[in-house]
Amino acid sequence: MTGLRATPFHGRVAEANKLNLWENWGGFTLASGDPGEALAARFGAVVVDISWHWRVSIRGERAGEFVSRLLTRDASRLRPGEALKALWLNDAGGVRGSGTMARMGAESFMLVSTAEDFGWIADAAALYGVAVRDVTAEEGVLTLLGPAAGKVLAAAGLEVDLGPLALRKFFWRGLDVMLSRLGDGFELWCKPDDALIVWDRIFKAGRGFALCPAGQRALDILDLENGAMQPGRDFAPARDGFSLEPSPQSLGLSGLVDRDHIFNGRAGTVGPEKVLAGILFDSETPAPQTVLLRNGFAVGHTLGSLVSPALRRAIALAVLDADAAAPGTALTAAGAACRTCALPFLPSPGSP
Amino acid sequence: MSDTFDALVIGAGPNGLAAAAYLAQAGLRVAVLEAEAAAGGGCANNLALGDLAVPVGAQTLYALDPRVVKDLKLVRRGLKFAARDLAQIGLRSDGKPLALGRDAYAAARSIAPYSQRDAERFVVFRRELFAFARVMRAMWWEDGETESQDELRRLAVTGAAAFLDAAFESEAMKAIFAFDAMAGGLSPAAAGTSLLFAWRAAQEMCGLQGAVAIPRVGMAALAEALSAAAGAACVEIRTNSPVARLLLSGDAVAGVALASGEEIPARLVLSNLSRRETLLNLAPADATGFATAKRLGRAPEVGEAKLVLALKAVPGFAAIQPAGRFVIAERLESCIGAHGEARAGRLPGELALEAVVPTMFDPSLAPPGVHILSVLVRPLPVSPEEGWPRLASRLIENVLVLLERHAPGLYANIVGLNFVAPKPSRDPFDVSHMLAPWRARISTPIGGLFLCGEAAEPVPALSCCAARIAAAIAVAHLKGEVR
């Protein structure tokens, strides 16, 4: 038993975590925070420590071939500094994970996900003679979210003319850092030893923009409002090499599958399609992983569910039969009235 | 590159030849690619035995698919039988031999000295086993479902040892089935191994259920009859053509590349090799699927070896009537222990043997006065710690001592000897294999690539049933039908 690890920002996060509420994900302890922080991200800017996100570096002569086979979209076509979102499937087509693959160099990639799956990637990489290394503990990562996030970074002296799903390395007043836009906002990557300096510089620059620290709950709320699904939180990924469930189509994730691309588990990506939709509840009682009924008949089920402070009601992601996915369809979940709505619930706080 | 083929078959063993013949009969242009200089695989006389040559593979036929015999007109093409129904003879050190022949009442008389109760039980045991086995043919002979689901579920969790314990009380009756209970390298204690008896009983040779036969002119006669059938269907058999790798286009097969560098395109490839050899050695590492590649990386732990002897005189036990195959196993329980030792990579202290003397039935197999004694030995480690060449000498010594005990004077009569070690290329076998649908055993993650050999049979044995069904599945695949 190794216990929970602290992220490189832990010293500052502990000071900032006024409620002293903690969560643990991926073996790290992280601040839980207050749901109201999600509102702050919609008006100003917030900083969230996401160093716990699982990251694996993939290097080798055949790394391109490997990532191409691994993911449901062809990551080998990326140019250095670009990234894409994709799934990885087991042999039968069950979703083992979902994440972002970034190309760092000609023979070097980095996979980022909220759910760890090192054994699978390492076994598969061995077939190609490609070296994979879990680098989660070797970096500190902060995400800046909100309309003012770009301004905060500019004030801190970082150039932010970065497109979505792109990343770039900087030498930032004596520190080696990397800036990326893989999620809703910006991510700033640094060495663990530089973490506290980076935190302080960002907050110094953010003083004029009401920058505040936020916890994991705020990040989850923003994610859900944005319609983003995370393995482990919203669905249980396949933890076996041959299980058929959950298939990408049963999760409504076919948009992340390139059917012309050849990848592991491709044969399993046919079948009845479900639609990923949002569910708006009339109440403030979330209903995660609950069957959705229309006129007494099951038409799907919810995934993750939370109370959205911006919408002042409970919301949920759900996978639905296509005919029940039209926005406005009246449904019930465990007796509570709700209706279908299109995703995202709200525009991403980072979008202009 | 003037030739184009619709389908290629890797390996000209009996299964490969049968599959090729079926594919050609369906109107495809087919080539069989054989690494060796002659077709026949395990049935060809490739193992030197003094001045003689004997087959490397099976020593008896007990599972040859009657539909293949009929469809490919094998009897007309020279497959005749020297012995149609070998009795199962248990050689005992604690009493007279136990002879279980077709005549259940004669068998009961032979059991009676060991246990009167077992003698009475045996008649019912065989009748019930045969009845269940006939129902199972829907699943083991064709691509169908069995009607006897309750009994199947019960046997699928019953080990051979528990099954025999429930049926018989004497050690002799349990031990006589010990050899068959270790087919495929399983332990008689493993759950579901009782199905091995049902599978054997479901087979039919020469129209007799559960019979064991020996072809006239040896096993090579089967290979020759199948070669003739393939030839008559215009199959091209290319010998000395080892396949180096499969050619893929996307996630479907596109042909094969030979070791010589020649590339032969084809939309269908049927492999007579094991799943491990086909997917790990011939296909690119990734096309197999990450989890499948990991699973296939594990070699089988327990297998069987073959020992062949040329003798100046017929061994003493050959005089037992009715004529049959001889099983030497003292106790079923010790076979379970032996299986554990073999799994640990050691030579087991006790072994189970099946011996046949084919020259008893067909003297033309050897020059006058010479007899062939062919012995299968189970359970043995596939990859022993000390390596097979070293272990083989100890094993042969042990087996000869065991044989000498039951046939005094045998040692002095040996004029030739050869040995075939367990094959590490075989697929690990487990009971779930017997219950899987044919399609799961035959198809691979690569489109258009199918297995047609022993690896696709419910139990590894010379049957050609997989070849027949694989050909049907492959033809349906080519026509774009979903099966």
Side-chain angles (χ1 to χ4, degrees):
Chain A
M1 184 69 197
T2 50
L4 287 175
R5 289 180 287 178
T7 72
F9 299 102
H10 189 76
R12 295 290 185 270
V13 170
E15 287 170 18
N17 188 7
K18 296 281 194 304
L19 293 174
N20 199 23
L21 288 175
W22 298 91
E23 294 180 21
N24 63 76
W25 286 99
F28 285 91
T29 181
L30 41 127
S32 184
D34 181 85
E37 289 159 0
L39 276 178
R42 299 213 164 265
F43 298 110
V46 295
V47 169
V48 189
D49 176 11
I50 54 164
S51 306
W52 63 277
H53 282 192
W54 178 67
R55 293 177 294 276
V56 59
S57 112
I58 300 163
R59 280 165 183 279
E61 208 177 315
R62 296 179 69 197
E65 239 177 290
F66 166 57
V67 297
S68 170
R69 192 87 198 187
L70 176 70
L71 297 181
T72 53
R73 296 169 70 201
D74 192 357
S76 65
R77 290 200 204 144
L78 295 171
R79 281 171 300 184
E82 291 180 346
L84 59 73
K85 288 186 191 297
L87 308 172
W88 57 98
L89 312 182
N90 68 14
D91 286 15
V95 178
R96 276 198 71 111
S98 154
T100 308
M101 180 71 83
R103 185 165 206 152
M104 314 302 285
E107 293 177 356
S108 156
F109 291 83
M110 163 114 63
L111 178 64
V112 187
S113 172
T114 52
E116 181 269 351
D117 195 12
F118 189 74
W120 176 258
I121 308 254
D123 284 342
L127 297 173
Y128 294 80
V130 167
V132 291
R133 197 157 54 90
D134 188 332
V135 293
T136 308
E138 295 173 23
E139 284 149 343
V141 187
L142 292 177
T143 178
L144 276 83
L145 293 159
K151 291 175 199 156
V152 172
L153 288 170
L158 282 163
E159 292 172 47
V160 292
D161 57 336
L162 205 59
L165 291 171
L167 42 97
R168 200 187 303 157
K169 285 183 176 164
F170 286 94
F171 187 66
W172 183 37
R173 286 187 271 146
L175 304 182
D176 285 314
V177 295
M178 188 167 74
L179 194 63
S180 67
R181 282 187 64 185
L182 306 181
D184 292 339
F186 293 88
E187 297 89 37
L188 187 57
W189 311 50
C190 65
K191 291 180 194 152
D193 291 350
D194 302 339
L196 300 187
I197 305 171
V198 167
W199 178 282
D200 291 342
R201 278 189 192 176
I202 292 293
F203 276 92
K204 194 175 168 196
R207 216 171 278 159
F209 302 93
L211 181 70
C212 67
Q216 186 57 35
R217 281 181 78 180
L219 196 59
D220 284 340
I221 290 165
L222 291 167
D223 243 12
L224 205 67
E225 288 174 344
N226 200 24
M229 200 195 290
Q230 301 293 359
R233 186 186 70 189
D234 297 319
F235 66 93
R239 276 288 167 260
D240 171 86
F242 302 96
S243 61
L244 298 161
E245 289 295 321
S247 64
Q249 55 278 12
S250 75
L251 291 172
L253 290 176
S254 291
L256 292 177
V257 178
D258 176 359
R259 300 216 187 270
D260 297 328
H261 173 52
I262 307 267
F263 52 86
N264 198 60
R266 180 170 176 240
T269 57
V270 287
E273 294 265 352
K274 296 267 191 174
V275 177
L276 183 62
I279 297 291
L280 280 171
F281 290 91
D282 292 344
S283 65
E284 287 199 8
T285 313
Q289 312 295 344
T290 309
V291 175
L292 289 164
L293 303 174
R294 184 180 56 180
N295 304 329
F297 291 95
V299 291
H301 63 92
T302 62
L303 304 168
S305 180
L306 288 165
V307 177
S308 161
L311 294 167
R312 297 191 160 202
R313 57 173 75 204
I315 58 171
L317 290 176
V319 281
L320 294 169
D321 295 342
D323 59 340
T329 310
L331 303 170
T332 56
C338 56
R339 61 193 156 83
T340 314
C341 82
L343 289 175
F345 293 96
L346 292 167
S348 155
S351 54
Chain B
M1 280 303 303
S2 56
D3 296 336
T4 56
F5 296 102
D6 300 310
L8 300 171
V9 178
I10 303 173
N15 292 297
L17 293 169
Y22 272 102
L23 290 171
Q25 283 185 352
L28 307 187
R29 263 185 65 65
V30 188
V32 182
L33 306 168
E34 169 60 45
E36 302 292 327
C43 283
N45 290 327
N46 283 339
L47 190 67
L49 180 65
D51 296 337
L52 304 169
V54 293
V56 178
Q59 58 188 16
T60 56
L61 284 177
Y62 55 90
L64 188 61
D65 185 3
R67 277 199 55 188
V68 172
V69 176
K70 185 162 169 267
D71 291 349
L72 302 182
K73 301 186 177 69
L74 296 186
V75 175
R76 210 206 287 163
R77 296 197 158 105
L79 180 67
K80 305 280 190 316
F81 289 93
R84 290 164 178 274
D85 189 16
L86 297 187
Q88 188 176 0
I89 298 170
L91 300 177
R92 307 286 307 166
S93 57
D94 58 349
K96 287 172 79 178
L98 206 55
L100 309 184
R102 178 78 33 190
D103 181 347
Y105 296 94
R109 279 197 298 280
S110 143
I111 303 165
Y114 290 95
S115 159
Q116 189 56 44
R117 181 172 159 274
D118 284 359
E120 288 157 17
R121 277 290 195 80
F122 177 69
V123 182
V124 183
F125 172 82
R126 179 141 81 184
R127 191 167 57 221
E128 287 178 354
L129 184 63
F130 275 25
F132 170 68
R134 280 194 297 275
V135 182
M136 287 299 291
R137 284 177 180 171
M139 196 173 140
W140 284 332
W141 280 10
E142 300 298 336
D143 205 356
E145 292 259 318
T146 174
E147 289 165 18
S148 189
Q149 290 292 346
D150 290 344
E151 181 68 355
L152 176 60
R153 262 196 290 275
R154 189 178 73 81
L155 289 187
V157 294
T158 307
F163 182 69
L164 294 172
D165 282 344
F168 303 114
E169 59 177 16
S170 68
E171 204 51 63
M173 271 308 277
K174 295 177 197 170
I176 196 170
F177 292 104
F179 179 83
D180 293 345
M182 290 189 287
L186 295 179
S187 160
T193 37
S194 59
L195 277 176
L196 290 168
F197 302 129
W199 182 80
R200 251 190 110 112
Q203 307 309 316
E204 182 182 304
M205 290 302 305
C206 311
L208 290 171
Q209 186 179 0
V212 178
I214 289 186
R216 202 181 290 166
V217 210
M219 291 303 224
L222 172 64
E224 271 159 34
L226 284 164
S227 285
C234 297
V235 170
E236 188 176 324
I237 300 173
R238 291 202 192 175
T239 50
N240 292 318
S241 304
V243 173
R245 63 194 164 86
L246 294 169
L247 304 174
L248 296 194
S249 134
D251 52 6
V253 75
V256 304
L258 300 183
S260 63
E262 185 187 345
E263 296 194 347
I264 310 174
R267 283 170 62 202
L268 279 182
V269 174
L270 274 73
S271 170
N272 194 4
L273 309 175
S274 70
R275 189 169 281 267
R276 299 184 67 219
E277 283 178 298
T278 308
L279 291 175
L280 293 186
N281 300 353
L282 299 183
D286 50 0
T288 304
F290 298 155
T292 313
K294 189 179 177 194
R295 177 181 281 188
L296 291 176
R298 200 167 52 89
E301 286 164 327
V302 181
E304 64 178 22
K306 187 178 184 182
L307 177 67
V308 206
L309 304 173
L311 303 171
K312 276 189 299 194
V314 67
F317 48 66
I320 298 167
Q321 284 301 327
R325 61 185 181 115
F326 308 96
V327 176
I328 302 177
E330 284 299 326
R331 282 168 52 81
L332 180 64
E333 247 82 288
S334 46
C335 290
I336 297 171
H339 183 273
E341 285 182 70
R343 245 191 108 166
R346 297 190 299 270
L347 183 63
E350 281 213 49
L351 296 165
L353 270 52
E354 183 201 59
V356 289
V357 186
T359 42
M360 275 165 58
F361 309 103
D362 186 357
S364 72
L365 290 172
V370 177
H371 280 274
I372 296 171
L373 175 63
S374 181
V375 185
L376 287 177
V377 189
R378 294 171 181 166
L380 291 173
V382 173
S383 318
E385 287 160 22
E386 53 191 305
W388 259 113
R390 292 190 57 184
L391 195 69
S393 56
R394 277 170 54 205
L395 171 67
I396 293 168
E397 180 109 20
N398 290 1
V399 171
L400 291 180
V401 167
L402 207 54
L403 289 170
E404 175 81 21
R405 196 182 299 159
H406 294 283
L410 177 135
Y411 204 99
N413 286 329
I414 297 172
V415 291
L417 181 151
N418 209 336
F419 174 77
V420 186
K423 277 191 290 183
S425 59
R426 207 170 51 80
D427 291 327
F429 174 70
D430 66 70
V431 171
S432 64
H433 212 70
M434 300 173 73
L435 302 170
W438 278 99
R439 194 173 177 80
R441 288 191 297 262
I442 285 171
S443 52
T444 67
I446 299 171
L449 175 67
F450 299 95
L451 302 185
C452 66
E454 269 191 25
E457 303 283 358
V459 175
L462 178 50
S463 160
C464 295
C465 192
R468 168 168 64 84
I469 295 173
I473 288 179
V475 169
H477 173 85
L478 198 63
K479 288 183 184 159
E481 291 167 20
V482 180
R483 264 192 63 160

